[in-house]
Amino acid sequence: MRRNKSIVISYMNLRTLIGILGMLLPVMCFAWSLIVNNKKVLESISMYYYTNFRDIFLGVLITFSAFLITYKGYDLLDNIITILIGVSGICIALFPCENIEVTEKVSFLLLNNSQTSIIHYSSAGLFFTLLAYNSLFLFTKSKEQIIGKSQKYYRNIIYRISGAVILTGLIGILIVLLFTSKRFINKSHIILILETIILTAFGISWFVKGGLIIRDKKLTTAST
């Protein structure tokens, strides 16, 4: 019994750690800009790949993705979704977005910048879409019927709000990329702001999932 409880606690700590890493990335990018980059904030998190913050950026993103790949959920669909999120996160790291100021090939497979950019944006789209799906449809599952305003009831509210915020942020990024100018993006930092909001919502949902907040009085995995 004690061993099983220890496994449950460790597993919930992993969920919390996933949320922390997700929220940590934009915070670290912003801190690096203030401390190292003469307070110059870049247009998106992805653009930090082309700075001396690259190693930390890749380390956090790949570690975060590896945790998602090893995470085991309720069923096969849950596992497939988290694995796909993890794989797409690794692709985001290994295949950077295009930077017109960089002419040499920089991706994992030394593809042309336009090719690696396609992989990057496709992976990012899948990454954010599945994050929203995860919060909206997987975290809200329960092996027990939800009766009244239980802790699970309140957790589901946060999961759905988080999922809606992630989805709204993703739509906002698409609208900005399709209908605004490069100058507006650079000046407003709107992409970076939306990415930060998305990852914050993601982190909050995993904090709840890990039992950091709104946890049951009795530690169980059935209703988390």
Side-chain angles (χ1 to χ4, degrees), residues 71-84:
Y71 173 81
K72 300 299 179 184
Y74 288 117
D75 50 32
L76 180 61
L77 177 61
D78 200 345
N79 293 333
I80 290 174
I81 294 297
T82 51
I83 288 173
L84 287 175

Side-chain angles (χ1 to χ4, degrees), residues 41-45 47 182 185-186 189-192 195:
V41 179
L42 302 185
E43 62 188 75
S44 70
I45 292 176
M47 291 302 291
K182 184 74 172 178
I185 293 173
N186 291 338
H189 307 296
I190 185 63
I191 299 295
L192 179 62
E195 289 174 334

Side-chain angles (χ1 to χ4, degrees), residues 22-224:
M23 295 180 69
L24 190 62
L25 188 57
V27 173
M28 292 178 69
C29 289
F30 185 69
W32 180 89
S33 294
L34 294 180
I35 298 170
V36 181
N37 200 34
N38 298 320
K39 298 183 179 180
K40 181 181 178 182
V41 179
L42 302 185
E43 62 188 75
S44 70
I45 292 176
S46 296
M47 291 302 291
Y48 283 87
Y49 178 92
Y50 294 99
T51 70
N52 55 12
F53 185 73
R54 178 189 300 179
D55 291 342
I56 299 175
F57 170 79
L58 293 178
V60 172
L61 188 52
I62 291 176
T63 300
F64 165 77
S65 299
F67 280 144
L68 284 167
I69 291 173
T70 57
Y71 173 81
K72 300 299 179 184
Y74 288 117
D75 50 32
L76 180 61
L77 177 61
D78 200 345
N79 293 333
I80 290 174
I81 294 297
T82 51
I83 288 173
L84 287 175
I85 295 174
V87 171
S88 60
I90 290 176
C91 288
I92 292 172
L94 298 182
F95 299 94
C97 61
E98 187 175 10
N99 185 343
I100 58 175
E101 297 179 359
V102 177
T103 57
E104 68 269 17
K105 297 178 180 180
V106 295
S107 73
F108 174 63
L109 298 177
L110 296 179
L111 301 175
N112 293 328
N113 288 347
S114 58
Q115 294 174 321
T116 189
S117 191
I118 291 173
I119 297 175
H120 179 87
Y121 285 118
S122 299
S123 298
L126 179 64
F127 181 81
F128 288 133
T129 300
L130 292 180
L131 288 185
Y133 182 88
N134 205 51
S135 291
L136 289 170
F137 301 109
L138 297 184
F139 281 0
T140 51
K141 286 183 177 180
S142 177
K143 293 182 180 180
E144 300 175 357
Q145 184 178 1
I146 302 174
I147 302 175
K149 295 186 177 181
S150 63
Q151 293 293 80
K152 177 60 176 173
Y153 171 86
Y154 291 110
R155 288 197 294 270
N156 280 356
I157 291 176
I158 294 181
Y159 295 148
R160 292 188 176 104
I161 292 174
S162 297
V165 169
I166 294 170
L167 196 58
T168 302
L170 175 59
I171 294 172
I173 290 174
L174 290 175
I175 291 173
V176 169
L177 290 174
L178 292 174
F179 300 107
T180 63
S181 65
K182 184 74 172 178
R183 181 180 179 183
F184 171 78
I185 293 173
N186 291 338
K187 187 175 181 179
S188 66
H189 307 296
I190 185 63
I191 299 295
L192 179 62
I193 292 171
L194 290 172
E195 289 174 334
T196 301
I197 292 172
I198 288 172
L199 290 174
T200 299
F202 164 83
I204 291 172
S205 67
W206 279 83
F207 285 164
V208 175
K209 190 68 174 174
L212 189 65
I213 53 178
I214 318 181
R215 65 188 303 168
D216 292 328
K217 293 181 180 179
K218 183 178 179 181
L219 183 61
T220 63
T221 56
S223 61
T224 304

